[in-house]
Every structure is written in C-alpha cells, then in structure tokens.
Amino acid sequence: MASQKSQLTVRWLVLLLACIMMIGNYYCYDNPASLHNSMQTLMPSTNFETYYSLLYTVYSIPNIVLPFFGGFFVDKLGAPICLIIFSSLILAGQIVFAFGASVESWPFMLMGRVIFGLGGENLTVAQSAVLAQWFVGKELALAFGINLSISRLGSVINNYVSPAVADDLAFSDFNGVSMALWVGALICGGSLFTAFMIVPIDKAATKRLKDTTKFNDDLTSSLLEDGEDGGGNNRSKASSFDGIRAVSAERMSTSAMLLHEDIDEEEIRLTDVKNFGVIFWLLSLSCLVVYGCVLPFNSFASGILSERNYFKAPSSSCVLMNPGECSSGLLAVNATKNPARDDGDFSEGVSNCPGDDFAPVFPTSLDSVTCNGVSGLSCDKSSYTFSTVTSSDIDCDDDFWSKGCAKNYCDAYSDATKTSDSVMSIPYFISAGLSPLLGFLVDRIGYRAVVASLAPCMLVWVHLTLGFESGSPIAPLIGQGVAYSLFAAVLWPSVPFSVEAKSVGTAYGLITAIQNFGLAVFPLIVSQLKSANGGLYLPNCEVFFTGCAAAGVLVGALLNIFDARRGGKLNSIDGKGRKEVADRGPPTPLMTT
Ligand SMILES: NCCCC[C@H](N)C(=O)NCC(=O)O
C-alpha cells in the first residue's frame, strides 16, 4: 500500500499533464523575443526598444512580490486549485496582449503582459510544489528535468512558429504579429484544460492516501495498546514498540505534509521565511544573477545576433553611388547605376560595404519620391521626403520600402531575422534535450552546489566570447544551453532541501520573486546600455551579462562553503547530507509497502 504520492504510478500522468500545462506559459512568455523584428516593423517608433523591454519588465515587476504570496497560498489552499487560477490568468493576459497587437496599442499590449505575468510565475510556483509533492525523494530532479525539457519545447516551437505566422498569416484586420499572439492564446487555452485534468487526479490520490494513513494510524495504535496491555513483558518488546511509535510518527508527519489537507493551517505562516537558512538565500542570489544572464539574454538575442553576425552595420564610409536615390526595387532608377561603394581606407583589403553579413546601405536622403503610376506598388503615403533617412524610418511592411526603394535592405533584414531567430533557439533546444538526462544524473550523483558554481563559469566564457569575438555564435550558444541546463537541473530541485517541507511552496514563491527582480530590472539595464552606446548592443550589454555570470561564480563558491559547513546536503545524493544521515542511523524498515 502506498503512503505517499511519489509511490503511485499515476505520478507519471500527473507529470505529463504538468509538462503540457507549462507549454502555453513558456510559448507565450517568449512571444515578444521571437516577434521583436516583426513588432518593430509593425509599430516603428524611436522608443521601440524601451516599449519592447517593458513587455518583459511589466511581466516581472508584479512578480517581484506576488509569487511570494502565490507560494504561500499554494501551501495554504493546495497546489492543484492554484493551477486553475493561474492558468486562467495567463490565458486572460495573452488574450489582452493579442488584442493590443491587433489594434496596435502599446498600453493594451503592456496590460496584457501584466495579467499574463500575474499567472505565469505563480503557475511555475504551483507546478513546482505539485512536482515536489508527487516526486519527493529519488526522482525529484528527473521530474524537474522532464518538466523543463517539455516547457522549453514551448519556447523553441515559439521561436519557429511565431515569426512564420507573423510573416505569412496576416489577413484583413489582423496583422501578422497579432495572429501569432492569438495562436499563443489558443495554446494557453490548452494549458488551462490540462490544469483542469490534474485536479481530480490529485484529489483522488489525496483521498486514497488519507485512507491509507488512517489505516496505518489505527494499526499502530492497536499494536501499541496490545503491547501495553501485555503488562511489562520485557525490555526488548517495549523498545520495539518505541521503534514503531517513532517510525510511525515520522511517516505520519511526512504523509501529512505531502497530503497538504492534514497540515494544521496555523502552522504555515508568512513569517516562516525568517527561518529560511543561509543555503536558501544563497540559492536565491544565485538564481537572480545566473538566470539574469540567461532569460534576459534570450529576450535580446535576436537583436544581438543580428548586430554581431547576420545584419552587421556597414561602416559609415560605405555609401551609395547616388545617396539621394532609391537603392533597389521598382523605384530604383537602375540599381546597377547606384551601387554601394566603400569610400574608406580599407588597407587590409576588407571592404565594409555589404557582403553577406552586412546590412545593405539605404539612401541617405529622399526628396518627394512617390509610387504614383508604378504598377505592383501600394504605398502607405502619397510622397516620401526625408532630409536624413535612419534605419527606424524604414518600414518593411510598407511596399514603398520593401518593393520600391530599399528592397535589398528589407530582403536582407527578413533573412537576418529568420537566421537570428533560429540560431537563438540553440540554448533552449539544448535545454529541451539535456534536462531530463541531467535531472536523472543529479538524482544519482548529487553535487548540486558544485554544478551551481561550474555552470556560471561556463557562462562567463560564453558572454565574453559573444562580446569580444566576431566568429560564429554557434559554439557560445551551445555553451549557453549546456550551462543553463546544468544550472536549472540543480537549482530548482535544491529548494526543498533548503527549507522545511511545509514551506516548500512559500520557498519556491520567494525564490521566484527574487528571480523576477532581476528579470524586471535587467532588460531595462540592457536597453539603457544599448541607448548609451549609440544603439549598439555590443560590447557593453555582453559585459553586463558577463558580470552577472561572474557574480554567479562567486555565489556558487559561497554555496559550496556553507553547504560543506552544514553537512553537505546539497552535494549529497539524497539531499540529506552527512549530518542528518549520521543522526538517523541505519535506515528504518518501512511500515507500509
Ligand atoms: N514563464 C516563463 C519563464 C519562466 C520563469 C520561471 N520562473 C523559471 O525560471 N523557470 C525555470 C526555467 O528555467 O525556465
């Protein structure tokens, strides 16, 4: 007879449903990243980068506080019911976000992201608590690994599907970006459906285990009564009843914690946080800085990769032969008569004029150019005049630019976007493939604190390479994926080992809240660094990410020191550590099977 949810076979169905449930969350969280360039084309503005980073910041700002309370409610109300509440919020938020894009309104889009954020992070917290209940013991890291793997597939699918939908599925009043976001809303609807499926399964298991616990309880009491009635038979009999009493008490308290309903509600208080030890706080700090160079990096990866590799800005010495004329398309008088030429000193024989990786140069100025009478062109404006053309003036959704005046620029921009979007998926692809295996290994070898300090070392190399070298980004992005997967494989399963079991939801809430502080602030720092650097990400933004990774190395070292002083729980295989294993003595036989 099973006495814990982690002994029931149905746990694998719960895991499958919990994984499917998270796909909508991850798919939609990364929508802005994969639609960055399409959004810029749809809603060009000099403040575009600020609005764009706000889409992530407003998601995270409420979450600097909310998951803490969300986690507390998970402990109080039970995780399954919270899954439904939070899944409903992500669906509602995505609908508002998609509506905002349909009417091209930043305020609606931002409001949608706030609502989505209210559900998104709390859903992660509730789901972590569900996994901790169903997989406590030897399979916890594996369960988190499988979960992260399937969730991250949501991010990867988004990176491919959303730009394709945005490019190809615009029709009548629905622009491409909004269509991609409505697809996200559909997927969130599916997530809500799976959340509804988890609740009855969890309830049935809870009831079944409650009955088992009661049965064990009755059995233990009757054994104890028999022993006491026996009238002081002998010492050894008395000590074996003491053993039963002790084992029973331990097992009952574990079952009670895992069944949730049996926890005395008064026992769970927000103030329990003050009992969280140094290990929990170091895990939180590590989460803040290391995730700070993973998730925010991904939000800007498309732009960073375009700038670094696929759409490099040509040198200012690269100009059109006739800078006041269209460069390519139906309005170009004759493209071969207006080629780009490099006026600069390229003594090393390297021209900064468009090669495959450079952005084609566009006209410097235009004077009353019109589309009138040119068949195949439907331009947004009757006439185009610019004393100085900048890249933000070029709207590739407007035929004037994409077919008429800067066709080569718009074609190259679209190609670069597609390449960047698929290359930036590498880290999440790797995480989707590696996470279950790493989870399996962590459950078997431990070394959680060691891995938590090695992963950021790799991230230091990754971001230095992206910031200061100009070769292919593939190797550093593979490094980013491996480091991220390693870190996630040890961080989340370490949380239950750092606090009391009754506070696991609160602890997940608090660490998520701390993580979100970084996720709210870091994108703003990156966009400020970019603006201060003449609109360029490199190298300053990568210096910032390198700094975060270096801080992660330092916190990782402290984690190892404190973990060793406190019995080595995190680095041990089962999370119990030297001290507790010694305290407990040899394993006690189970009362139930
Ligand atoms: N809602 C998508 C972002 C997930 C943030 C979440 N707090 C988290 O970090 N989950 C683990 C991960 O590696 O994504």
Side-chain angles (χ1 to χ4, degrees), residues 287-310:
C287 178
L288 171 77
V289 290
V290 178
Y291 265 101
C293 55
V294 173
L295 302 186
F297 168 78
N298 187 67
S299 322
F300 291 98
S302 179
I304 292 175
L305 294 174
S306 288
E307 178 185 316
R308 184 183 185 273
N309 293 97
Y310 306 118

Side-chain angles (χ1 to χ4, degrees), residues 25-26 29 59 116 120-121 124 148 152 291 295 484 488 492 512 515-516 519:
N25 186 1
Y26 278 67
Y29 175 79
Y59 170 97
F116 180 79
E121 290 302 290
T124 317
L148 187 57
R152 278 291 163 219
Y291 265 101
L295 302 186
Y484 162 54
W492 302 107
T512 304
Q515 177 194 38
N516 272 275
L519 301 184

Side-chain angles (χ1 to χ4, degrees), residues 476-535:
L477 289 179
I478 291 176
Q480 172 92 353
V482 172
Y484 162 54
S485 311
L486 282 168
F487 185 74
V490 293
L491 177 81
W492 302 107
S494 294
V495 172
F497 301 138
S498 67
V499 297
E500 280 186 75
K502 65 173 176 143
S503 304
V504 164
T506 309
Y508 273 119
L510 186 52
I511 192 169
T512 304
I514 292 168
Q515 177 194 38
N516 272 275
F517 173 78
L519 301 184
V521 173
F522 292 0
L524 289 179
I525 296 178
V526 171
S527 68
Q528 288 310 309
L529 287 172
K530 184 185 177 215
S531 307
N533 190 29

